[in-house]
Amino acid sequence: MLRLRSAVFRAVAPPSRVLACRFSAAPIPAPNTQPEVHYNKLFINNQWQDAESGKTFPTINPATGEVICQVAEADENDVNKAVKAASDAFRLGSPWRRMDASHRGLLLNRLADAIERDAAYLAELETLDNGKPYAVAYSVDLPNVVKCLRYYAGWADKWEGKTIPIDGDYFCYTRHEPVGVCGQIIPVGHLIQQASGSSNLKRVTLELGGKSPNIVLSDANMEDAVEQSHFALFFNQGQCCCAGSRTYVQADIYDEFVERSVERAKRRVVGDPFDMKTEQGPQVDQEQFNKILGYISSGKREGAKLMCGGGVAADRGYFIQPTVFGDVQDNMTIAREEIFGPVMQIFKFKTLEEVLTRANDSKYGLAAAVFTKDIDKANYVSSGLRAGTVWINCYDVFGAQAPFGGYKASGVGRELGQYGLENYTEVKTFSFVLLPQSLKMTVEEISI
C-alpha cells in the first residue's frame, strides 16, 4: 500500500515544468509586438462584412490603454442575417446537410491545420487584445484549441445510436441528430438563462462562474502545494472561471504555507505580456481592473490581513500587483464573490469534516482541488466536494477528452469530451414492425 501511494501521489512538477512537457518542446518564436489586424468585420455567410448600421466599437490594448482598432458592432439585424445563413445551411437537402460525416471531420482537421500554421500570429493577437502573456498564448492556448478541434474531428463519423430490444415484434433504434442553429455567447450567462427561460424554453448550456476551493492537507508536499496553489489562482491574471480562489490550509502548516505563498507572489513577474519572462500581464479591461481593486479594498475593510500586493503595478495599463490575503473568514465579501483577478485568499481549517462543509458552502460548484499524500484522504475529500471537476495534487489539468462544467450556480451541461456532444444533439427513436401481421399470427399459433 505504501508503494502504491508513493507511485500514485508522487510530487507533481511546478506548473512551468508541467506546461513545458505537456505541450511542444519546440522553441517559442519571437513575437511581433505590433501584429497587423487583418479582420475587424462581422463574418456572416462565409463573408466579412460591415455591421448593417455601420457602427463600430474600439478594442483596447489593456497593457497600454490605447485603441488597437475599431471593430464592427453587430445588432439585431446582423444577428438575424447570421441566423438565416445558418438556417439555410441546415435546410433539408442542402449541401451542408448532405455532407458525409467523415468529410465534416476532414474540414475540422483542416481548420486545426490552419491554426497550427498561424499559431504565432494568433498568439500575438491574443496578447495584444487581452493582455495574456504571449508565451502562454502560444504554448498553452493555441495547442489546446488545435487538440479540441482534432478531438471532435475524430467524433464526426462516430456519434452512433443504439439498437434497443423493446417488447413485441418490433425493431427499435436511435439516431443522434443536430439540434439545429446554435448561438454561442461567451459572457453574461445568467442573462442568457433568464431570457431563454422567459421565452420559448430554448435549450441552454452554461459554463458560469466559480469560487473554487483548493484544499491543502497537512501531509501535502509543501513545495508543490505552494507552487500549484499559486498557479491555480494567478494563472491568466486570475481571470479563470475555475481559479482556486479559496485556498484552505490545515492549521498545523498554515503559517509556513502563507509565508511561502507570499514569497512566491512577490517573485511573480508582472509586466509587458510580449516579454518571454513575464508571468502576469494586465487585466483584460478598465472595468475589470476597477472591480478587482474594489474587492481588495473590501478585503482590507472587512478585516482580512493583506500580506502583499494590493495596489496598481504600473503607471499605465491595467496591471495589478499579485495580492495575498491571510486570515480570511468565510463570511467576507472576498470569500463569497468571484473576484476574477490576481487576489489569493487563504483560510485556516482543522478537520476534514469542517473543510468539506465550508468548501461546499457556496452557490458555486465549478472546480476544486485537494493536496495530500494519503490516497484515502484524497478519495474522502474529493468524493465529498460538490464540484464538476476535482483535481488531486494538481490544478488546471484539462483535456479535450474530459468533460468540464459545474454544479449549482456554476452552470448547466458539460463542455468537451463525449458529454459535450449531448448538448448539441437530439435523440430520435425509430420503431417499426419487424414481421408482417399475417406472419406474426402464424408464429403465435405455432408457439401455442
Side-chain angles (χ1 to χ4, degrees):
M1 177 58 76
L2 291 176
R3 287 185 179 178
L4 175 62
R5 291 182 180 178
S6 176
V8 175
F9 288 85
R10 63 186 182 276
V12 179
S16 59
R17 298 203 297 272
V18 171
L19 295 179
C21 65
R22 190 183 300 170
F23 301 106
S24 173
I28 301 174
N32 174 7
T33 60
Q34 295 182 320
E36 184 177 352
V37 178
H38 299 295
Y39 305 104
N40 59 352
K41 298 183 179 182
L42 306 177
F43 191 66
I44 300 176
N45 201 21
N46 209 37
Q47 294 180 337
W48 293 102
Q49 50 193 272
D50 292 319
E52 195 169 293
S53 66
K55 292 182 179 179
T56 62
F57 68 91
T59 183
I60 307 296
N61 180 347
T64 64
E66 299 172 349
V67 174
I68 300 171
C69 66
Q70 296 290 328
V71 178
E73 183 176 337
D75 60 18
E76 184 177 353
N77 291 336
D78 301 298
V79 173
N80 288 337
K81 286 169 61 177
V83 171
K84 182 181 183 304
S87 298
D88 289 343
F90 188 68
R91 187 185 68 251
L92 191 66
S94 72
W96 279 105
R97 188 71 175 266
R98 296 180 66 249
M99 182 182 296
D100 290 341
S102 59
H103 190 61
R104 295 175 189 273
L106 177 62
L107 292 181
L108 285 175
N109 271 316
R110 286 180 181 172
L111 178 57
D113 292 341
I115 291 173
E116 284 186 321
R117 180 196 64 205
D118 297 331
Y121 173 65
L122 293 172
E124 291 160 3
L125 289 179
E126 181 78 347
T127 297
L128 184 70
D129 183 54
N130 74 13
K132 179 190 295 287
Y134 167 78
V136 175
Y138 182 85
S139 63
V140 181
D141 290 34
L142 270 299
N144 274 336
V145 170
V146 170
K147 286 183 178 183
C148 188
L149 288 170
R150 296 208 189 284
Y151 174 79
Y152 283 109
W155 265 111
D157 56 0
K158 301 173 185 67
W159 191 223
E160 303 159 344
K162 299 179 180 179
T163 57
I164 303 172
I166 64 173
D167 294 345
D169 295 321
Y170 301 97
F171 179 62
C172 180
Y173 67 95
T174 60
R175 177 179 173 182
H176 297 165
E177 298 184 350
V179 297
V181 177
C182 299
Q184 301 268 324
I185 306 175
I186 303 306
V188 297
H190 286 294
L191 298 180
I192 298 170
Q193 187 177 37
Q194 293 168 7
S196 300
S198 62
S199 60
N200 56 358
L201 297 178
K202 281 185 169 56
R203 291 174 64 163
V204 179
T205 62
L206 301 171
E207 192 270 279
L208 302 175
K211 194 69 178 175
S212 300
N214 175 29
I215 300 170
V216 182
L217 304 188
S218 58
D219 69 338
N221 180 298
M222 178 64 75
E223 181 181 357
D224 288 331
V226 168
E227 182 64 30
Q228 292 280 353
S229 298
H230 177 87
F231 173 71
L233 186 284
F234 289 102
F235 178 70
N236 200 39
Q237 294 71 255
Q239 297 169 151
C240 286
C241 53
C242 59
S245 51
R246 288 185 292 152
T247 307
Y248 289 94
V249 181
Q250 204 151 18
D252 47 354
I253 63 167
Y254 178 85
D255 291 339
E256 181 184 356
F257 184 93
V258 171
E259 181 181 354
R260 289 193 182 206
S261 294
V262 170
E263 291 174 356
R264 178 63 181 90
K266 288 180 177 178
R267 294 198 309 271
R268 187 168 184 80
V269 181
V270 182
D272 178 5
F274 280 105
D275 189 323
M276 294 293 190
K277 297 178 181 178
T278 294
E279 294 178 277
Q280 180 179 316
Q283 307 308 130
V284 69
D285 58 28
Q286 180 80 55
E287 181 180 359
Q288 187 62 22
F289 175 78
N290 293 337
K291 179 182 176 183
I292 295 166
L293 292 176
Y295 275 119
I296 292 173
S297 296
S298 169
K300 292 188 288 186
R301 185 171 60 251
E302 294 182 9
K305 185 176 181 180
L306 181 64
M307 309 298 294
C308 68
V312 178
D315 294 334
R316 67 170 185 166
Y318 311 131
F319 295 89
I320 292 179
Q321 295 172 339
T323 300
V324 177
F325 277 107
D327 296 338
V328 181
Q329 304 302 311
D330 293 342
N331 60 347
M332 293 178 177
T333 301
I334 60 172
R336 307 298 297 178
E337 298 183 12
E338 185 178 28
I339 298 174
F340 218 62
V343 183
M344 187 178 198
Q345 305 115 71
I346 307 180
F347 306 70
K348 183 188 296 184
F349 76 92
K350 292 183 179 179
T351 68
L352 299 187
E353 290 72 20
E354 172 201 343
V355 76
L356 279 173
T357 299
R358 294 170 62 189
N360 289 331
D361 183 20
S362 170
K363 68 179 181 179
Y364 296 113
L366 187 56
V370 56
F371 286 84
T372 176
K373 296 176 184 175
D374 189 320
I375 190 170
D376 295 326
K377 290 179 181 178
N379 284 329
Y380 177 76
V381 173
S382 59
S383 296
L385 288 166
R386 297 282 295 165
T389 295
V390 180
W391 289 295
I392 300 171
N393 290 339
C394 57
Y395 210 95
D396 278 346
V397 176
F398 295 100
Q401 308 88 341
F404 182 75
Y407 287 25
K408 299 183 283 187
S410 284
V412 178
R414 293 294 182 269
E415 300 174 348
L416 302 177
Q418 180 177 344
Y419 291 90
L421 292 171
E422 296 174 359
N423 300 322
Y424 298 96
T425 54
E426 301 280 12
V427 178
K428 180 181 287 184
T429 301
F430 299 82
S431 298
F432 57 90
V433 177
L434 188 61
L435 298 173
Q437 187 68 18
S438 59
L439 182 56
K440 178 182 176 183
M441 293 297 295
T442 303
V443 171
E444 289 177 349
E445 292 168 358
I446 292 173
S447 63
I448 292 172

